[in-house]
Amino acid sequence: MQFGVLGPLSVWTDDGLPVKVPEAKVRALLADLLIHLGTPVSADRLADDLWGDALPGNPGNTLQTKVSQLRRAIGRDLVSFEPTGYLLHTTSVDSLRFAALLERARSAVDLRVRAGLLSDALGLWRGPAYEDFASWGFALATAARLDEQRLTAVEELAEVRLALGEHSSLADELGELVASYPLRERLAGAHLLALYRSGRQTEALAGYGRLRTALAEELGLDPGPALAALHQAMLVQDPSLVLVAAPATSAARPATNLPAQLTDLVGRDSAVSSVRSLVESSRLVTLTGPGGVGKTRLALASADLPFPDGVWLVELAGVGSGELVDVVAATLGVRDETALGARPGVPVEGLAWRLADALRDQRLLLVLDNCEHLVEPVAELAGLLLRAAPGLRILATSQESLAIPGETVYPVDPLVQPDAVRLFVARAGITLDAGNTPWVDAICRRLDGLPLALELAAARVRALGVRGVAERLDDRFHLLAGASRGLPPRQRTLRAVIDWSWEQLSPEQRDAMRELATHPGGCTAEAVDVPVEVLIQLVNRSMVVAEGDPSRFRLLESIAAYALESASPAAFDRRDAYYTALAERAVPFLYGRAQREWLDRLDAETLNLRAALDRMADPSRLANALAWYWYLRGRHTEAYRWLSGGQNAWAAGFRILTGAGNSDFAPFDARSRWFLALAHLHFGDVSAAKGLLESALGGFRSLGDRWGEAAALACRTKQALFEGDFALAESAGALSLEIFTELGDRWGQLQASDQLGWLAEINGDYARAGRLHRDGLRVAEDLRLWTDVSYRLSSLGRIALLNGDLAGSREFHERGMRLGASQSNRFAEEFARVGLGLVARRAGDLAAAESLFMESLSWNRALERDYGIPFYGVTLILAELGFVAEQRGDAAVARTRHLEGLAAAEEIGDPRAIALAKEGLAGVAALEGSYEEARRLLTEASALRESVGAPLPPAERTDVNRILAAIS
């Protein structure tokens, strides 16, 4: 059982399903026991807390009855009676997890890591602590303490986000919180600095004035030294206040995934300098050499360079040729989803093309490690990416070159003798002296300066001594001299050392190595069912690498290949069974509060899951368990590849989503109908989705499936917006958001808040729209849904524009456009580009506005040629180009644009778009002196907007007011 006190008291099963605890007194009893977690609470104390002065006739018996009811609800074993009172046995409480996350955040050095942990901690809150016991005396102190900790965490997160450059988002986000807590100086300081950095200095100074007045009137105090210093710095416009620039896209996006190295790189200083120079001068550098020579370590050290869009490591060991593009795209965070559906004669671009397009404007370094088993597909992909993206550099490691034009090959040699000695001494933890120096020299010469061989040998010094290692190695090499004669000398050396190290392992340790070798992505101790102490022993022998928190264990490529030679089919069977069970275990969590945690967990096992799928004769069970995970991660092609052989909704839905075409599958249950409707709505196909959606919603409600009901309502909201039924969109969206929030499904909250944000903008409620879009932005960043992040950034840009903040609007739109481009999502990119055009026109820069709108119009027209219909953005673009021409005094061009826009709007059937075109034509009539025609057109436009319940809000009446002024 899991318990929630950060909001209304809640109980869930380990699978995330809600558990009902009946009756107010039983719930109060549970709350009291949770407050005193770890300490028995006497019966007298509980009775006093629950009934106060209104004790029942027999308090002891009545309390026992409540305890029995509680045990029936949550399990008998969780509540025990001790000599000193009742005790609740659990550590699964959200307040404990909150405290643990805060502790980890405060010790984190990396600001992005700290921000993520603080966001995770605050994401556990569903309302005020012990919300339904706010008036109960026993809960007051604990609730107040937790609420204070929450506010402190909010302040800490705000300061971290300021350091990451997120001042534009924070400027509005903190406003409501500051209004609720007007005397919190730390919170106010973060808000004032966010306003100042966002170019809103006047608001920042006014905010300081309000705080100073409030402190004086309520507490008789002046602002503290830190706040006073900030005020003075703002007054003199201290340059240090604006040293932090806004992020290029999203501050939540990591700049690199290079792992931290646990040991120093010995003897490679010159090589690192050489490789870095080559990376600067050549776009493709390949480090070649035999296994164990240290190519990966040299690549990682050389790659620590300041590329604007980051440095990204793609580990290819264990990756099959058909999975290469999937792995690179997933590492770079490029979602495998097309924004265009299937159309006859119009091929859908593959993932490799979209990956190349996503990188076209980026300046980054891609490190492709262990390419030797994928030389041809890596060479093909590298050539495609380098041709498409002039700012891309690739650093590869392989036992052979990629052999494509422009490649620079850097052979990695073994360590020279002095450096080999230094490495051996460092890893063995010894000091050279007269007694051991000859033996160390002999070992290093015998091992040909191969770093991996030296580390394996050094790991045995503690047990055998330097001389013992040297003598045993000498015996081993004499033994293998004949047996390995066919191998190159350095491969014979490494093979001999691995053989020797293997022979010294116990049978249990060898079995553990074989089990680990079947997991190409590394794994947890649980996955191989090996005692942790055995794995630690292997780590200490340098046979196994441990990394991460919690620890994952993996073998280096050369050692894994050796261990696989003796791995049994049963070891692979155990691996496949484990990952199938893990995927099935994850399914319910992907629909609730633990969604992000389980997404991350499955992400970590990607290579292992793919290996299991590849080996299975029938992968359908595992593939079906992974279907929703693949959808959430935007890996549509991979999902369709594994599911396409089945006759089910997953296969049919992913067929649509990948642009492979429609399916003749007939859905038979609510979930199937809903997923197909979702796929159709992804491409705006309302007619195909509508009947499926209605049937699904009815089915979910008859089954009592709350998640399904919320999901169907979110789709209904989108459908209603397409159809202009704003009342239905509001009611369906609000209920969807309510249910998803109750269930803790962050993806679902994003879907509902997205549509409600659009609706609030249409209705002119910009405060609500901004709040919904900011909430959606945080969720999308948390789930790494980068296309959604792009749209949310641009949506915040629209709200900033409507509120008159042109600089803030431009920043949000530019970030959204860059992020849309980095996902090869032209719809998201164009949505942002149109926003930048709106900003330019509002600022009076008609030339810039026209240039931006014309680029978007060209793209829209190309789509119309291919797909036969105008897309939703074209009506706005034509209207804006018409207004630009009218403001320049060119009535003929303006009329042409608006008439074309009117025809497109009528074809789409959107009353608001028709109204916009008529308002534009009114401007043309006014320009030509036809004032009566202008009034008629404006009246017709107003009536159209009223007919769908969306009159033009004041902030959007700029053009209408300008035309009215001209004809009055």
Side-chain angles (χ1 to χ4, degrees):
M1 290 290 173
Q2 301 181 49
F3 299 90
V5 300
L6 304 179
L9 180 66
S10 300
V11 184
W12 307 278
T13 65
D14 286 340
D15 288 344
L17 299 175
V19 174
K20 185 176 182 180
V21 180
E23 210 257 300
K25 294 296 184 186
V26 180
R27 293 173 56 79
L29 170 64
L30 175 58
D32 211 344
L33 293 174
L34 283 164
I35 285 171
H36 297 93
L37 199 62
T39 304
V41 189
S42 69
D44 289 343
R45 172 68 182 273
L46 289 170
D48 187 56
D49 287 346
L50 266 60
W51 287 284
D53 294 335
L55 287 171
N58 191 330
N61 286 345
T62 306
L63 180 62
Q64 286 181 3
T65 300
K66 303 303 178 190
V67 171
S68 296
Q69 290 177 274
L70 179 60
R71 284 171 170 162
R72 281 197 296 272
I74 67 173
R76 291 194 58 81
D77 294 342
L78 290 184
V79 182
S80 67
F81 182 71
E82 309 293 327
T84 53
Y86 290 97
L87 179 65
L88 181 66
H89 299 274
T90 185
T91 56
S92 299
V93 186
D94 58 3
S95 59
L96 298 181
R97 178 163 169 72
F98 174 70
L101 286 168
L102 285 186
E103 184 177 353
R104 288 177 58 196
R106 287 163 181 163
S107 62
V109 176
D110 186 278
L111 289 178
R112 286 185 178 85
V113 172
R114 192 184 307 171
L117 290 168
L118 287 168
S119 294
D120 288 347
L122 290 167
L124 296 171
W125 286 77
R126 296 165 290 112
Y130 292 94
E131 184 175 9
D132 33 4
F133 298 96
S135 61
W136 295 59
F138 70 83
L140 292 177
T142 300
R145 173 178 56 80
L146 288 170
D147 287 337
E148 176 61 27
Q149 290 175 355
R150 178 191 193 181
L151 284 170
T152 301
V154 168
E155 292 165 340
E156 291 177 17
L157 178 58
E159 290 168 352
V160 173
R161 290 175 62 192
L162 280 170
L164 290 169
E166 291 191 65
H167 40 264
S168 296
S169 299
L170 282 168
D172 290 320
E173 192 175 315
L174 293 180
E176 293 180 17
L177 205 56
V178 167
S180 300
Y181 299 95
L183 302 179
R184 292 188 72 92
E185 293 193 42
R186 186 178 182 184
L187 183 64
H191 185 224
L192 298 180
L193 186 54
L195 287 168
Y196 186 89
R197 286 181 177 170
S198 300
R200 297 159 65 176
Q201 290 89 346
T202 302
E203 292 178 63
L205 292 170
Y208 179 83
R210 286 192 298 273
L211 174 64
R212 180 170 55 192
T213 299
L215 287 170
E217 291 180 351
E218 301 217 16
L219 303 177
L221 298 174
D222 290 325
L227 210 53
L230 173 61
H231 179 235
Q232 182 60 33
M234 291 191 298
L235 286 173
V236 300
Q237 298 184 352
D238 187 335
S240 66
L241 292 180
V242 291
L243 289 179
V244 181
T249 54
S250 165
R253 296 189 85 196
T256 183
N257 68 338
L258 291 184
Q261 299 304 301
L262 302 179
T263 55
D264 292 335
L265 182 63
V266 176
R268 299 294 195 191
D269 291 350
S270 175
V272 167
S273 297
S274 297
V275 173
R276 286 180 173 174
S277 296
L278 289 175
V279 168
E280 290 175 1
S281 61
S282 176
R283 297 189 58 212
L284 171 61
V285 178
T286 303
L287 309 185
T288 61
V293 80
K295 300 185 293 296
T296 298
R297 283 297 308 272
L298 176 58
L300 293 178
S302 304
D304 189 11
L305 294 166
F307 278 77
D309 294 302
V311 178
W312 299 94
L313 169 66
V314 183
E315 297 180 348
L316 298 178
V319 174
S321 59
E323 300 160 348
L324 172 64
V325 180
D326 293 336
V327 172
V328 175
T331 301
L332 293 173
V334 176
R335 292 172 63 84
D336 177 19
E337 54 187 5
T338 177
L340 296 168
R343 291 292 188 277
V346 184
V348 175
E349 298 89 354
L351 178 57
W353 185 93
R354 291 200 298 277
L355 178 59
D357 185 57
L359 298 179
R360 69 183 188 271
D361 295 324
Q362 296 198 46
R363 296 170 58 199
L364 60 79
L365 175 61
L366 189 61
V367 183
L368 302 176
D369 190 30
N370 289 309
C371 299
E372 49 273 350
H373 63 299
L374 297 171
V375 169
E376 289 188 12
V378 168
E380 183 180 349
L381 179 62
L384 172 66
L385 298 183
L386 289 168
R387 288 192 298 273
L392 173 67
R393 296 286 190 274
I394 295 177
L395 176 61
T397 73
S398 177
Q399 293 184 23
E400 60 179 290
S401 72
L402 301 183
I404 62 175
E407 178 186 28
T408 299
V409 177
Y410 183 91
V412 180
D413 295 321
L415 295 173
V416 297
Q417 182 68 4
D419 289 332
V421 169
R422 284 175 53 217
L423 176 62
F424 183 85
V425 167
R427 300 298 185 259
I430 61 174
T431 302
L432 283 177
D433 56 34
N436 63 24
T437 295
W439 297 108
V440 171
D441 280 339
I443 290 169
C444 294
R445 291 185 192 282
R446 170 62 80 183
L447 298 183
D448 292 331
L450 286 173
L452 177 56
L454 291 166
E455 296 203 14
L456 289 172
R460 302 304 295 139
V461 167
R462 182 178 298 178
L464 302 175
V466 175
R467 179 173 178 174
V469 170
E471 290 174 342
R472 283 165 176 77
L473 277 176
D474 201 44
D475 291 343
R476 165 54 57 185
F477 275 75
H478 283 306
L479 182 64
L480 291 179
S484 303
R485 189 168 287 123
L487 295 173
R490 284 168 184 151
Q491 287 188 32
R492 287 205 302 268
T493 298
L494 183 60
R495 176 78 186 195
V497 175
I498 297 176
D499 262 335
W500 173 67
S501 299
W502 183 268
E503 288 175 359
Q504 297 176 66
L505 300 178
S506 69
E508 185 181 27
Q509 291 170 332
R510 291 179 193 172
D511 287 343
M513 293 283 289
R514 295 186 185 101
E515 294 287 335
L516 282 171
T518 67
H519 298 252
C523 62
T524 62
E526 172 197 330
V528 286
D529 195 22
V530 172
V532 173
E533 57 268 22
V534 173
L535 295 173
I536 297 302
Q537 293 164 8
L538 293 169
V539 171
N540 292 336
R541 288 173 175 263
S542 293
M543 300 291 281
V544 171
V545 177
E547 53 197 4
D549 180 22
S551 289
R552 293 180 63 82
F553 301 91
R554 65 176 177 88
L555 303 182
L556 296 176
E557 183 69 6
S558 300
I559 297 174
Y562 183 96
L564 280 173
E565 292 175 8
S566 57
S568 68
F572 288 96
D573 291 341
R574 285 190 291 272
R575 178 201 67 189
D576 297 349
Y578 173 80
Y579 288 111
T580 300
L582 180 70
E584 290 177 337
R585 194 166 128 217
V587 170
F589 294 106
L590 294 176
Y591 295 93
R593 299 183 189 285
Q595 185 178 71
R596 218 289 302 281
E597 176 187 340
W598 278 87
L599 283 171
D600 290 347
R601 186 163 181 179
L602 292 176
D603 286 346
E605 305 297 353
T606 294
L607 286 179
N608 298 321
L609 291 164
R610 286 180 174 139
L613 286 163
D614 279 333
R615 181 176 176 271
M616 290 176 173
D618 179 9
S620 59
R621 180 180 160 195
L622 176 55
N624 278 287
L626 290 171
W628 187 238
Y629 162 72
W630 280 325
Y631 178 82
L632 292 175
R633 280 294 183 238
R635 283 154 53 180
H636 296 174
T637 303
E638 182 176 4
Y640 183 54
R641 183 165 64 244
W642 290 110
L643 292 161
S644 58
Q647 281 295 311
N648 57 40
W650 291 126
F654 281 113
R655 179 177 175 81
I656 296 169
L657 289 167
T658 55
N662 288 325
S663 167
D664 58 2
F665 171 74
F668 56 86
D669 63 358
R671 285 281 172 122
S672 297
R673 295 185 181 98
W674 168 77
F675 188 64
L676 288 180
L678 178 72
H680 286 300
L681 281 175
H682 181 76
F683 301 117
D685 192 346
V686 176
S687 61
K690 192 167 185 176
L692 290 167
L693 205 51
E694 291 299 322
S695 177
L697 182 57
F700 286 135
R701 284 175 168 164
S702 67
L703 293 169
D705 184 339
R706 296 282 282 164
W707 188 94
E709 180 183 1
L713 286 167
C715 287
R716 174 180 268 190
T717 306
K718 189 172 186 177
Q719 168 204 316
L721 281 174
F722 273 123
E723 295 177 333
D725 189 343
F726 299 143
L728 176 60
E730 175 63 41
S731 61
L735 183 54
S736 175
L737 182 58
E738 178 185 330
I739 298 173
F740 274 133
T741 302
E742 174 191 321
L743 297 175
D745 186 313
R746 303 270 280 164
W747 173 85
Q749 293 172 47
L750 176 62
Q751 308 313 303
S753 65
D754 174 24
Q755 307 303 321
L756 289 172
W758 287 110
L759 192 58
E761 180 183 334
I762 290 170
N763 292 330
D765 190 348
Y766 303 139
R768 183 186 182 219
R771 184 168 59 253
L772 287 163
H773 289 316
R774 285 192 297 272
D775 290 346
L777 175 63
R778 288 195 299 273
V779 172
E781 288 178 332
D782 185 49
L783 296 178
R784 301 199 295 278
L785 303 174
W786 300 120
T787 302
D788 290 278
V789 172
S790 171
Y791 276 115
R792 297 290 73 71
L793 286 168
S794 296
S795 297
L796 287 171
R798 295 291 204 275
I799 301 306
L801 171 67
L802 294 168
N803 284 326
D805 180 7
L806 299 188
S809 179
R810 185 178 295 109
E811 177 200 313
F812 278 125
H813 280 114
E814 287 173 347
R815 290 167 59 189
M817 187 162 74
R818 282 191 290 266
L819 191 50
S822 77
Q823 292 295 301
S824 186
N825 191 306
R826 194 61 187 268
F827 279 89
E829 190 178 352
E830 291 304 319
F831 181 65
R833 193 187 313 279
V834 170
L836 287 171
L838 295 172
V839 173
R841 189 165 79 86
R842 183 70 66 92
D845 189 346
L846 299 182
E850 183 177 44
S851 174
L852 289 161
F853 290 135
M854 284 302 299
E855 185 169 353
S856 290
L857 181 64
S858 297
W859 178 73
N860 266 274
R861 282 179 166 161
L863 286 179
E864 187 174 357
R865 282 195 305 272
D866 287 342
Y867 286 78
I869 57 170
F871 276 70
Y872 64 89
V874 73
T875 55
L876 174 62
I877 296 166
L878 288 166
E880 287 297 322
L881 284 168
F883 284 128
V884 167
E886 178 225 319
Q887 288 180 271
R888 281 179 171 162
D890 191 337
V893 170
R895 177 181 290 102
T896 299
R897 296 298 190 196
H898 287 308
L899 286 173
E900 187 180 355
L902 179 60
E906 288 174 339
E907 183 174 356
I908 294 170
D910 182 353
R912 294 172 62 246
I914 295 171
L916 180 61
K918 286 180 177 289
E919 287 157 357
L921 289 168
V924 176
L927 183 61
E928 294 176 332
S930 302
Y931 294 167
E932 285 304 317
E933 182 185 357
R935 291 189 186 94
R936 177 182 60 78
L937 287 165
L938 289 178
T939 301
E940 290 175 1
S942 178
L944 281 167
R945 293 184 182 279
E946 291 286 352
S947 72
V948 291
L952 204 58
E956 297 182 51
R957 292 184 60 84
T958 304
D959 289 309
V960 169
N961 289 340
R962 176 173 53 77
I963 296 165
L964 285 171
I967 63 177
S968 60

